[in-house]
């Protein structure tokens, strides 16, 4: 980065929940904890416009003033995730409709369909009010559009508005029904359409709909999120120079975050390490081990992913990313909600800062005693007393100042492609019921982290692959000719498979068989794939195995094959540029193949202890101990100068040293 | 009791299923088996009013006459659980609507919405017909209103009638929308309402609705059951002096049974020990052990609960309760339907009589060969021959006469609070997905039974706690100031926690933190709670542990803490009056804490064999062996005089001796 | 058979998916592989009638011509499983409605309700066009009506059309509502109807509907499939002499296949051995063992079942059956889709031919690169190159010619009754949740196969039981007096139970208790049944046990009882003609009882290795090794003359020798 930002602490604040008389005290305590950024406003529509057109901005003006007076910077959220009841009652068809045709009603949040034109006008109206009133306020440091697009599965809506929008979108894309029929292969099962107005949404069919039909609906739906967001960013930019962000979520892929990020200055995300642990597919031993600290790789992956999103608009040089919401204690929304282990809250902050976050902002300032999130802990207890997170803020903000810590991550030698369309593709067509694209990508990501590698997660673009030493791209659904050419000219070693390059953009099997355009890079042909249940992995050698997915590959000239399965099929295919893995690797095989690829690419690796992870930022290397035991890392550190921590890392602790 | 009732046997009878020519023989056989009470009428609407307004009471008159002639007493049920098709077709919107917005149609039973005003008028009409015709019949011994309110999840209806009723109910409760907004915390997520007519039912929201919103809907729905029932009892009382009951169900909590019981003279319930075994959360070893006899504590708990209900209207002195339907063989409605073990049917009867039941009435007289319950066994086989249950009746009725057995249970020293609102609260907000209020209460109840204690299950009222030595109240959602004061003045030792007193009546976290009003009794503050998955209990010492739930407690002056968890937090908090347990106890910990509390309260306890339970009534102590092996209980009995049975109890047998 | 047919190979072909320029090459390659039969047309409605009434038969004419020119025979399918969108838009209420009241929309296939009269007219119209145009084409060898009736659970539709049809059907069956009320037992729960127009479909009731109500709806729905099919066969027969078939499915029982077969000349079915493996209830060891070859008995059972269907119309002498679709590689629709083991595809073909199939036809010719089945492998790869299945065709077609193999199965001594109404009955009333009729029948079928027995699966008719030595009829819901008489006069040994003969045709418990009409054959009375969860089998002796179901039986004069359970009840009841088994046998008990019954019937049995199966056709005995190890079968073969294969069978191989 040109002007690396100082790393700092923020908080999410809801002055509307508390008496005005408390606001001064809140601001004073924030400053005392070293907090510099305060997000407000994003759910307050009913308070700001209690009756149609009758605004009440007084209280928000006062909130700005109080915070400003204390030197705090405001991140202002547009309130469009929670339209008030009167608005919904005026246009009830703005509500989204779920896959079963059920209207998703008022009474919580995100009760709108992205395709609804009239609701978009209402959003434009309230955003204009916000932008005009606060766009140049001296306390304003940034904007947030809406809140957590897609949360509660709200991207896909099967409403009349969506149907109308989808038909128009198809008409624009294909121009003629025949072109669409050919692209989708509608000759199959007599699904041919005579006009775009005959096309339905791909829900409630007798059996599965055409995957190409679903894929276009997924693209359409993702596009609606982008245009919904852009409507707001365009308005804001007319009235304000403050940068704009949106708070993305973890493990959420129903829209293309890169595409939305084209209209954002800062990518932010909401990190809940414990809440997410339950979602991963690891076994109980693993879940018990990391119960109060979270998966050692999942938040890290998202830091890397959203750092990539932060680079989309302005290019890597100006890429900026934040943790907009950081878990400070037990939450309310996971199946089980354990408390963080001692040290965990602090560890999470450093994991984000080490990944180049400018800001770690806690959710939220004070635990409300009421409504849906009353069991979600905050920096303050419901009665206003300090909770654990408050003290963590105090400590970390001091350390950041001492270190003069800045967000300055170096472009990584190793890049891992994460592609939203591929996620949709394999949700639409898993072929084996446990096949998940993001889980497949995570298998490689985890293996890289276990080797102590700094990874950039990247979109499949020419810009992102340029200058890398190693590019890993498992399961990428559609590899365009252009992207294959970019890979070829990148000089990087490529590790791909399984399923990489197996479909064209119309969700058809690539001509002359997979891996399609990748055959330019490695001359193989995949003639058969199989998916297998968990009780029947494909054993290779020792503890190496394919789990759930295996491909039968015919190598052609210049390709060597190695490592036969016990049933006699080659598993790994290689030439001087590229490695293709013909199945979904278990953890030992992921370690094996990643190590081989790093070696081929000339990237040095260090095999780490199961619980240890490392990460570099701003010429500092951070070491994280996610485990329950003290671990001696003095060999790793050598005689480098410690910034903080000790060479022997206590459970869930962090040590930093100068690079 | 002032005039303790003689304990006797009854049966549920459907003369409309059988030719009139058989009725005399049926009555004769009933009398021969010692049966004295016969319930009839409760599903017979279509037979009594085959066309609108065209009544046909002849057959029911004759049934009364036949039974009366044989000296049998009639319990008459109103037929409102099964309105005929013609009635439904005249007002189709009387049908209930499920949580997904689906109408619940005709074709089985309980096809009505409690909120439907027109259907209530129809119920009033048919009840008036019944009351006028049979209210003073010499055979009439009691009334039953409707049948199993709530069965098949029919309390909660999301119909238009319910919406209209709910809005009126809210208007009456809160008087102004602002008051409701404040009580619910609707400022959160812009859920503020400008009028009561903006409020929707709390289903089909995008994500979870406001818990306060749901809680009020649960209260509203429970109130509808009460007023629906009261409509009938008011009519009946105008025409009849016979006492009125309703047959409640086991493990069913969707309405407040205490509140409905305010309008009943007798609480009755339907006991199916084998059918319920499958619902409990115990392991397969336990389920296999008690397969043909049922859980040793579940029916006992309900006996105690409904004895409490029987006391609500007239106070404990006149409290009356019955088993209205007792399982006599395999049933049809559980996932699996095993046969009772030899001895089990008899054991169940004594468990009820020992708990003070006036009547144990079998369901049903003769197994029908047709319709939904054709696989539900009865006292007679479908062909009219004797089944096992008939012979059990013969035997028990003789023994009751020999013993001159009366319903006379002494008020227990130990009371266990069971509170319906708490059940709703933790269904609405489990916070950990396996958290269940009734299951938590059962953990304490089982521990008490394992110590050989007679327990009164009680509502949270001043009357119920007065004069106790020990009061146990785990998980009680909202402890009012009044109830806390009643506890304080009761002189009893109090055992509470976890979650006790954590919310106010508006489903908000109590001011200045839990346990709220209980802080008068024990000065502690709960600053954090966590829920944990089954793989990660909180280990204390030896085999004692918290399962799923743990609280972090700050003791203040006068409170001592003991028993640290392995991760270093205190688990038990105590002063001279009260014990607070900071988590959900596993069985060993429940035994430990209950034993400690009994000791503190000066109540003598005897640790029983796993399969043995005891219970006192009418100066007789009953010993039950629920297990598969013969168990010698001579030490327990000492030199007391045996009433029946032997000191060495065969599997599933009962022994009784004089106290 | 009088003129046994030569056994041959076919394929399913979709010329409309590929350029016309390729058709010649396709035909040439088919002939080269020994393929003689080609099925076409069954999903091509939109291509044949792109606009209402504007037909485009040119391409189909050309397809016929190309195939004809190469000497290939055409099986022509009517396209009624996939009506085009324009047709659906003209009559949207033709769509089926699922059990939840949800319309099942356009976008895949089978989007029609069998009860819709207007859609039937459209089917008659297009079938007439087909029949007139191709009914006498020299290439035409057979017809197929529609495609896989019932696939995707499409037999049961809860539409308005179905409601109207059902009411009429009831009126015709019962003539008066009172007769229906009596038959169903509607007096129970006041379910009495005053007119047929008051009857609803049996979905969306508050709790379970009357089983008799559901049973009649199941019968009605099955009848609709029969009449829907007959509409087409009647039209076809007016214009064509070619025989007519329909491709049934595996493990599919929602309509009576015997009844539909009354209107068919050939029964065909679609065999996917790997795809079905996942559906059976065996354990993981078994599923892993047979992962790539399928269950050793499931396809065999269906071969026997559809051979029986092929005999319905013309009697056994002319019975004909085909495998219309045979899996040639991994498919796309099972939860997991493994590849066939080496040898498996060939083994499947021989298993069919050994069971008397005239034709084994592969699905499909070439894997499409597009739409729903793009991951379903075919004889050719998507790029037109050979896949494994093509080479298997080449090989098998040559062997068939060498052997001059004909479809000629001898009527078996042992018959196993499979009855569709019984399947519906126990779906409606499982009584224990894991009770499945077809699974119960399979327990006996497997035991027979393990003893090396050729079995005929039969409908419960006099014709089918005549001349047998042993008839096995577990779980047969309703044994009519006529069928009991047929059994009696058959001279065969009868093995029945559990649940056999327990209900009458109105779904009432038989008068004077089960086994009802079977009491003529064995004088016992079943007084109690119980269902038990998997953790609690009823142990008999050694490893013999009842799983899930046990009956308590009172034997009367002439019946001897044997084999007591550990809890003291007799398990097996026998007289000189009949054996009644009082529970659901585990595999060892099934072996035991089947062996005893074979012995009693004087049928010789040979206990086979776990992986070995045998089957006779056309004076040849086939031995199949479904297992992973080489197995020496020389003892089995003795000095018979080998037709192909070796006495030592490699994994998944077949050996044949002259009988
Ligand atoms: Zn502090
Ligand atoms: Zn008797
Ligand atoms: Zn070949």
């Amino acid at each position: 980065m040109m002007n690396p930002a100082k790393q700092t602490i923020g908080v999410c604040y809801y002055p509307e929940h508390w008496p005005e008389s408390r606001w001064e005290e809140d601001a004073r305590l924030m400053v005392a904890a070293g907090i510099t950024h305060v997000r407000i406003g994003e759910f307050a529509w009913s308070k700001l416009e209690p009756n149609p057109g009758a605004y009440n901005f007084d209280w928000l003006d006062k909130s700005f003033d109080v915070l400003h007076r204390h030197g705090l910077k405001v991140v202002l959220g547009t309130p469009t995730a929670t339209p008030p009841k009167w608005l919904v009652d005026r246009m009830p068809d703005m509500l989204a409709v779920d896959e079963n045709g059920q209207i998703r009603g008022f009474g919580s949040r995100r009760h709108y369909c992205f395709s609804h034109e009239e609701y978009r006008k209402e959003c434009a109206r309230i955003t204009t009010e916000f932008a005009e009133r606060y766009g140049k306020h001296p306390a304003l440091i940034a904007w947030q559009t809406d809140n957590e697009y897609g949360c509660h599965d709200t991207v896909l809506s099967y409403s009349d508005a969506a149907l109308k929008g989808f038909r128009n979108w198809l008409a624009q894309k294909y121009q003629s029904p025949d072109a669409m029929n050919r692209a989708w292969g509608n000759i199959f099962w007599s699904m041919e359409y005579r006009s775009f107005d005959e096309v339905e949404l791909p829900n409630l069919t007798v059996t599965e709909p055409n995957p190409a039909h679903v894929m276009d609906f997924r693209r359409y739906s993702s596009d609606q999120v982008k245009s919904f967001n852009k409507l707001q960013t365009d308005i804001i930019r007319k009235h304000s120079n403050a940068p704009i962000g949106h708070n993305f979520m973890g493990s959420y892929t129903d829209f293309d975050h890169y595409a939305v990020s084209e209209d954002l200055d800062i990518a932010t995300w909401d990190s809940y390490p414990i809440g997410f642990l339950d979602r991963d597919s690891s076994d109980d031993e693993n879940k018990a081990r990391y119960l109060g600290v979270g998966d050692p790789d999942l938040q890290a992956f998202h830091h890397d992913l959203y750092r990539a999103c932060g680079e989309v608009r302005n290019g890597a040089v100006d890429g900026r990313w934040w943790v907009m919401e950081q878990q400070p204690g037990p939450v309310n929304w996971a199946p089980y909600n354990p408390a963080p282990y001692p040290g965990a809250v602090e560890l999470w902050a450093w994991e984000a800062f080490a990944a180049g976050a400018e800001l770690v902002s806690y959710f939220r300032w004070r635990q409300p005693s009421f409504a849906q999130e009353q069991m979600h802990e905050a920096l303050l207890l419901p009665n206003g007393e300090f909770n654990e997170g408050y003290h963590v803020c105090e400590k970390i903000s001091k350390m950041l100042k001492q270190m003069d810590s800045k967000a300055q991550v170096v472009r990584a030698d190793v890049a891992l492609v994460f592609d939203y369309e591929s996620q949709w593709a394999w949700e639409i067509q898993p072929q084996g019921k446990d096949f998940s694209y993001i889980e497949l990508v995570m298998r490689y990501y985890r293996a890289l982290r276990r080797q102590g590698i700094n990874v950039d997660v990247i979109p499949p673009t020419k810009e992102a692959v340029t200058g890398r030493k190693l590019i890993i791209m498992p399961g990428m659904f559609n590899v365009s000719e252009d992207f294959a050419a970019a890979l070829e000219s990148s000089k990087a070693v490529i590790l791909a498979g399984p399923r990489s390059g197996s479909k064209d953009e119309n969700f058809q099997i690539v001509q002359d068989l997979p891996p399609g355009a990748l055959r330019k890079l490695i001359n193989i042909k995949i003639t058969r794939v199989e998916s297998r249940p968990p009780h029947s992995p494909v054993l290779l050698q020792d503890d190496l195995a394919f789990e759930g997915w295996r491909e039968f590959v015919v190598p052609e000239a210049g390709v060597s094959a190695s490592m036969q399965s016990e049933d006699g099929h080659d598993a790994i295919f290689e030439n001087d540029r590229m490695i293709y893995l013909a199945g979904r690797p278990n953890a030992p095989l992921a370690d094996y193949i990643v190590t081989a690829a790093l070696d081929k690419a000339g990237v040095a690796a260090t095999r780490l202890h199961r619980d240890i992870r490392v990460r570099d930022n701003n010429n500092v290397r951070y070491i994280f101990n996610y485990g329950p035991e003290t671990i001696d890392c003095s060999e790793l550190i050598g005689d480098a100068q410690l910034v903080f921590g000790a060479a022997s890392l206590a459970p869930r602790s962090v040590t930093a040293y100068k690079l």
Side-chain angles (χ1 to χ4, degrees), chain A residues 12 58 87 108 124 139 165 203 222 238 242 322 411 423 442 514 570:
Chain A
C12 302
D58 290 1
L87 194 156
S108 59
N203 62 323
S222 179
K238 275 190 218 150
W322 297 355
R411 186 172 176 94
Q423 176 66 24
M442 283 302 298
D570 289 317

Side-chain angles (χ1 to χ4, degrees), chain A residues 233-250:
Chain A
T233 58
D234 284 351
I235 291 168
I236 291 168
R237 289 202 170 96
K238 275 190 218 150
H239 302 92
S240 180
N241 294 320
I244 308 175
H246 172 79
N247 57 333
F248 297 122
M249 292 187 298

Side-chain angles (χ1 to χ4, degrees), chain A residues 335-615:
Chain A
Y336 295 96
N337 295 291
Y341 292 137
V345 178
E346 189 179 337
L347 178 149
W348 299 332
W350 291 119
E351 182 75 81
F353 288 127
E358 296 180 359
L359 177 75
V360 171
S361 165
Y362 287 89
F363 187 83
R364 64 180 74 207
W365 175 243
R366 180 172 169 183
Q367 184 178 350
S369 54
F370 46 80
Q372 281 91 332
E373 292 181 346
Q374 59 183 257
M375 298 299 281
H376 190 304
E377 289 199 15
L379 301 186
L380 302 190
L381 292 164
N383 65 355
E385 294 175 0
F386 298 144
N387 201 341
E388 175 190 350
Y390 185 85
H391 302 300
V392 172
C393 289
E394 288 179 312
K395 180 178 175 192
I396 291 178
S397 60
K398 276 191 202 113
M399 291 169 76
L400 287 169
K401 264 182 218 156
Q402 280 171 346
M403 294 164 66
D404 191 28
S405 194
K406 286 168 186 158
Q408 193 168 35
V409 170
V410 174
R411 186 172 176 94
D413 289 334
V414 180
L416 176 63
V417 176
F418 183 78
D419 168 49
Y420 288 89
E421 285 208 342
S422 298
Q423 176 66 24
W424 308 336
W426 306 143
E427 284 177 13
I428 294 167
Q429 187 183 81
Q431 179 65 8
K433 81 172 176 183
D434 65 1
F435 193 94
S436 155
Y437 173 69
I438 192 168
E439 193 265 354
L440 174 65
V441 171
M442 283 302 298
R443 286 176 185 237
Y444 287 89
Y445 184 80
R446 291 176 193 284
L448 287 165
R449 291 260 291 177
R450 286 191 292 258
Q451 321 307 327
I453 302 296
N454 286 304
V455 188
D456 282 350
V457 173
I458 60 167
T461 62
K462 185 176 172 58
E463 295 71 31
V465 299
T466 304
R468 308 290 181 178
K469 290 187 181 168
L470 173 62
I471 297 159
I472 305 183
M473 43 181 293
M476 196 182 146
F477 145 78
N478 166 34
V479 176
S480 67
E481 295 292 334
D482 282 357
F483 186 56
L487 289 169
E488 200 169 10
S489 64
S490 76
K491 315 285 187 223
V493 167
I494 315 291
L495 169 59
R499 298 194 90 170
S500 304
S502 54
K503 307 284 176 180
D504 70 15
E505 72 279 9
N506 294 321
F507 215 122
Q508 299 203 10
I509 295 173
V510 287
Q511 273 208 312
D512 212 16
L513 306 183
L518 287 176
R519 293 179 70 184
K520 276 182 198 153
L521 284 143
I522 186 163
N523 197 9
I524 56 174
K525 199 148 72 169
I526 287 121
T527 56
R528 169 168 284 182
V529 303
E530 68 168 344
S531 58
R532 297 164 69 107
H535 55 64
S536 294
V538 176
L539 305 176
L540 305 181
Q541 60 190 43
D542 305 325
D543 57 348
L544 310 185
F546 290 145
E547 291 177 333
W549 191 272
R550 185 251 294 263
E551 299 178 352
F552 298 79
V553 178
V554 179
E556 317 236 339
V559 177
S560 65
S562 61
M563 193 165 317
Q564 282 221 332
S565 62
E566 287 191 0
D567 64 357
H569 297 272
D570 289 317
I572 301 171
F573 300 84
E574 190 168 356
N575 61 17
D576 57 344
R577 266 301 295 281
M578 182 159 168
I579 305 172
Y580 188 91
L581 184 67
R584 184 165 66 175
N586 66 355
L589 181 56
D591 285 333
Y592 174 90
I593 199 75
V594 158
T595 304
L598 289 167
D599 187 55
K600 190 180 185 90
V603 178
T606 315
R607 180 80 173 131
L608 301 174
H609 181 283
R610 167 184 187 181
D611 295 325
I612 294 293
R613 298 292 185 275
V614 302
R615 170 84 84 168

Side-chain angles (χ1 to χ4, degrees), chain A residues 56 131 183 224 273 298 322 326 554 558:
Chain A
N56 168 23
Q224 299 320 296
L298 199 66
W322 297 355
Q326 175 67 55
V554 179

